[in-house]
């Protein structure tokens, strides 16, 4: 399943895509949150549109198809099946580029690395700097480059997507509650785990998401085929409906949830290679914001590059980073706090404190309008005071950055 929150939905609707997305990506307007034994903790309702926008959640292949066709309608060339093996930038000539596995190269005014959690672009951006933790400057050993090794979060997520009727979910009394009344959205939480079951398309298709403890070392692929019997065993002491739903799935994927410390920068030394989406800031699924923040990244970058102009790309990318950096980190933290809250739930708990957070500061902001409104002030500060790498507010460790010659 691919989910876009209201903040991203506002952007995609402005592209004229609502009528195409809504029929295939409308969720139930009620989230039934239960404790792990099946007791109802809370019924969370949301009514769309909210803050003038819709959210879209559905089968990712169908949503991808709509987005690809929209890009083609704008005469954007799309090449599939070409692996990027190298990034580069030429400050003297004001260019950046990539080389693909065939040896062919492409250059441009700016290169956007949207290559996901295993980003090659991230390595290029981060290898050009030296970092000193600000709280340990005295006597601190210089760190050459940035060590971007992902770390296990302690969790993994099982995922499955299947036809309800084809696999017997419509006739089993333990599972047909997901199908007989149309689209449904259920969650069970507690015992350091949470299980979400969603039906879409009028209750015809079921999606499962089970976040569970996993401390296994990650070697090679981050995702692999899972075993249905392993999930059923995890749920043996839970509401019987949970294991019944899982048993209907023909297969599943086990996806390791890795985390990265916040990158000290998303922009390369010369400002012509930038990271967006998971390449810059991976999100936990419990944030329900990973795809949305990637859309926000791209929209804001388009505005700042347009305002900076072709002759001043580095100012555009650096202003973009300044606009986005703290907002993204605040959104990331929602995923961590939601997971911890849900995983600590106990049988008999109740109340709206267990709701999936939908804070106004996150979903009500029109990021395109915000970028236009804040660009001049931030760009002027960069021009007058010089560019500084971003820092995070609060208790998190910030970094000072020095360029490597």
């Amino acid at each position: 399943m691919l989910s876009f929150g209201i903040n991203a939905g506002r952007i995609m609707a402005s592209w004229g895509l609502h009528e195409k997305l809504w029929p295939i990506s409308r969720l139930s307007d009620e989230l039934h949150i239960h404790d792990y034994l099946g007791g109802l903790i809370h019924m969370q309702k949301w009514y769309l549109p909210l803050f003038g926008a819709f959210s879209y959640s559905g089968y990712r292949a169908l949503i991808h198809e709509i987005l690809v066709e929209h890009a083609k309608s704008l005469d954007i060339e799309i090449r599939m099946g070409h692996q990027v093996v190298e990034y580069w930038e030429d400050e003297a000539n004001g260019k950046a580029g990539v080389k693909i596995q065939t040896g062919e190269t492409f250059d441009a005014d700016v290169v956007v690395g949207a290559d996901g959690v295993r980003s090659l672009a991230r390595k290029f951006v981060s290898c050009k700097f030296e970092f000193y933790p600000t709280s340990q400057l005295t006597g601190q050993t210089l760190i050459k480059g940035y060590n971007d090794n992902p770390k296990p979060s302690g969790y993994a997520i099982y995922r499955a997507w299947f036809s309800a009727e084809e696999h017997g979910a419509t006739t089993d009394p333990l599972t047909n509650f997901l199908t007989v009344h149309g689209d449904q959205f259920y969650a069970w939480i507690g015992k350091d785990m949470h299980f979400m079951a969603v039906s879409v398309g009028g209750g015809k298709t079921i999606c499962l998401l089970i976040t569970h403890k996993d401390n296994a070392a990650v070697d090679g692929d981050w995702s692999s085929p899972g075993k249905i019997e392993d999930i059923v065993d995890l749920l043996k002491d839970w509401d019987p409906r949970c294991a019944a739903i899982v048993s209907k799935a023909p297969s599943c994927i086990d996806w390791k949830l890795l985390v990265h410390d916040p990158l000290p920068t998303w922009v390369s030394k010369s400002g012509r290679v930038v990271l967006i989406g998971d390449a810059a800031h991976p999100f936990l699924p419990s944030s329900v914001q990973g795809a949305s923040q990637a859309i926000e990244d791209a929209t804001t970058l388009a505005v700042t590059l347009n305002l900076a102009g072709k002759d001043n790309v580095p100012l555009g990318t650096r202003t973009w980073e300044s606009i986005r950096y703290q907002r993204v980190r605040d959104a990331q933290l929602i995923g961590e706090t939601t997971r911890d809250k849900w995983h600590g739930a106990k049988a008999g708990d109740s109340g709206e404190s267990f709701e999936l957070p939908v804070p106004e500061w996150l979903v009500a902001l029109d990021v395109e309008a915000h970028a236009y409104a804040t660009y001049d002030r931030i760009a002027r500060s960069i021009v007058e005071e010089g560019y500084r790498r971003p820092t995070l507010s609060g208790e998190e460790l910030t970094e000072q950055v020095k360029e490597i010659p």
Side-chain angles (χ1 to χ4, degrees):
M1 174 173 284
L2 182 60
S3 295
F4 292 98
I6 292 163
N7 45 321
R10 177 179 296 103
I11 297 166
M12 293 190 286
S14 74
W15 301 340
L17 299 182
H18 175 74
E19 296 303 326
K20 295 180 179 179
L21 288 168
W22 189 240
I24 66 165
S25 55
R26 178 179 180 177
L27 284 183
S28 168
D29 57 8
E30 296 178 341
L31 170 57
H32 305 248
I33 305 172
H34 299 83
D35 64 37
Y36 68 94
L37 294 178
L40 182 64
I41 291 177
H42 185 64
M43 179 84 75
Q44 182 175 356
K45 295 179 178 288
W46 45 74
Y47 302 98
L48 298 177
L50 180 63
F51 300 113
F54 293 81
S55 60
Y56 305 106
S57 299
Y59 186 41
R60 65 180 58 230
L62 295 178
I63 295 177
H64 284 172
E65 183 178 5
I66 290 172
L67 295 176
V68 167
E69 290 305 314
H70 178 63
K72 289 180 178 179
S73 74
L74 300 174
D75 294 326
I76 297 171
E77 181 182 358
I78 298 175
R79 295 193 181 193
M80 300 290 191
H82 293 283
Q83 180 183 0
V84 174
V85 297
E86 183 181 333
Y87 289 81
W88 56 268
E89 62 184 344
D90 181 347
E91 184 173 3
N93 293 308
K95 291 292 181 182
V98 298
K99 181 169 74 173
I100 62 175
Q101 84 279 11
T102 63
E104 189 176 3
T105 62
F106 303 86
D107 65 27
D109 299 306
V110 61
V111 171
V112 179
D115 49 348
V117 291
R118 305 185 76 167
S119 171
L120 179 62
R122 187 193 296 125
K123 291 182 172 62
F124 174 81
V125 167
S126 63
C127 74
K128 300 295 184 180
F129 299 92
E130 299 169 341
F131 302 94
Y132 304 80
T134 56
S135 62
Q136 304 173 31
L137 279 176
T138 304
Q140 175 67 19
T141 302
L142 175 67
I143 304 171
K144 279 280 189 180
Y146 182 71
N147 183 12
D148 181 44
N149 292 327
K151 300 175 293 186
S153 68
Y155 296 91
I157 184 168
Y158 287 113
R159 297 178 174 181
W161 181 281
F162 59 94
S163 165
E165 183 175 6
E166 182 178 347
H167 297 283
T170 57
T171 56
D172 186 336
L174 285 176
T175 60
N176 66 4
F177 67 95
L178 288 174
T179 68
V180 295
H181 300 298
D183 296 344
Q184 300 293 317
F185 193 0
Y186 276 69
W188 291 261
I189 61 178
K191 298 184 71 173
D192 210 7
M193 188 161 63
H194 69 271
F195 172 35
M196 305 188 80
V198 182
S199 61
V200 297
K204 294 179 180 179
T205 302
I206 294 174
C207 174
L208 306 180
L209 303 166
I210 303 102
T211 298
H212 61 99
K213 288 291 291 181
D214 187 315
N215 292 307
V218 178
D219 184 17
D221 290 338
W222 296 2
S223 66
S224 59
K227 297 180 179 178
I228 298 298
E229 57 267 31
D230 289 345
I231 310 177
V232 171
D233 186 60
L234 279 176
L235 298 169
K236 62 180 180 294
D237 297 325
W238 286 49
D239 180 347
R241 293 180 293 177
C242 297
I245 297 167
V246 170
S247 68
K248 299 295 187 290
S251 62
C252 67
I253 295 294
D254 188 15
W255 181 274
K256 308 301 181 185
L257 298 178
L258 304 186
V259 295
H260 296 260
D261 292 328
L263 288 178
T265 179
W266 304 337
V267 180
S268 63
K269 180 178 179 180
S270 296
R272 292 185 178 272
V273 179
V274 302
L275 308 173
I276 71 170
D278 279 352
H281 43 71
F283 273 70
L284 293 174
S286 48
S287 70
V288 202
Q289 275 291 310
S292 297
Q293 291 302 309
I295 293 287
E296 285 195 8
D297 282 346
T299 301
T300 305
L301 182 61
V303 171
T304 61
L305 288 174
N306 179 53
L307 294 177
K310 185 179 177 69
D311 295 331
N312 212 346
V313 166
L315 179 60
T317 58
R318 290 162 179 165
T319 303
W320 162 78
E321 180 186 58
S322 297
I323 293 172
R324 294 289 300 145
Y325 197 81
Q326 184 66 52
R327 175 173 168 82
V328 165
R329 185 55 183 157
D330 291 342
Q332 281 180 310
L333 292 173
I334 289 176
E336 298 175 20
T337 56
T338 298
R339 178 199 63 197
D340 294 344
K341 175 179 62 179
W342 281 8
H343 286 206
K346 300 177 177 61
D349 278 344
S350 64
E352 62 183 20
S353 65
F354 290 94
E355 288 188 347
L356 192 66
V358 190
E360 182 173 350
W361 67 262
L362 179 62
V363 301
L365 182 68
D366 182 331
V367 295
E368 184 175 15
H370 177 70
Y372 278 111
T374 57
Y375 176 85
D376 284 344
R377 173 179 57 81
I378 295 173
R380 186 183 310 113
S381 175
I382 292 173
V383 170
E384 294 176 353
E385 302 174 17
Y387 171 59
R388 298 177 183 177
R389 297 288 161 177
T391 57
L392 292 170
S393 63
E395 298 298 321
E396 295 193 70
L397 180 66
T398 59
E399 304 279 346
Q400 286 194 354
V401 183
K402 177 182 177 182
E403 294 181 3
I404 298 174

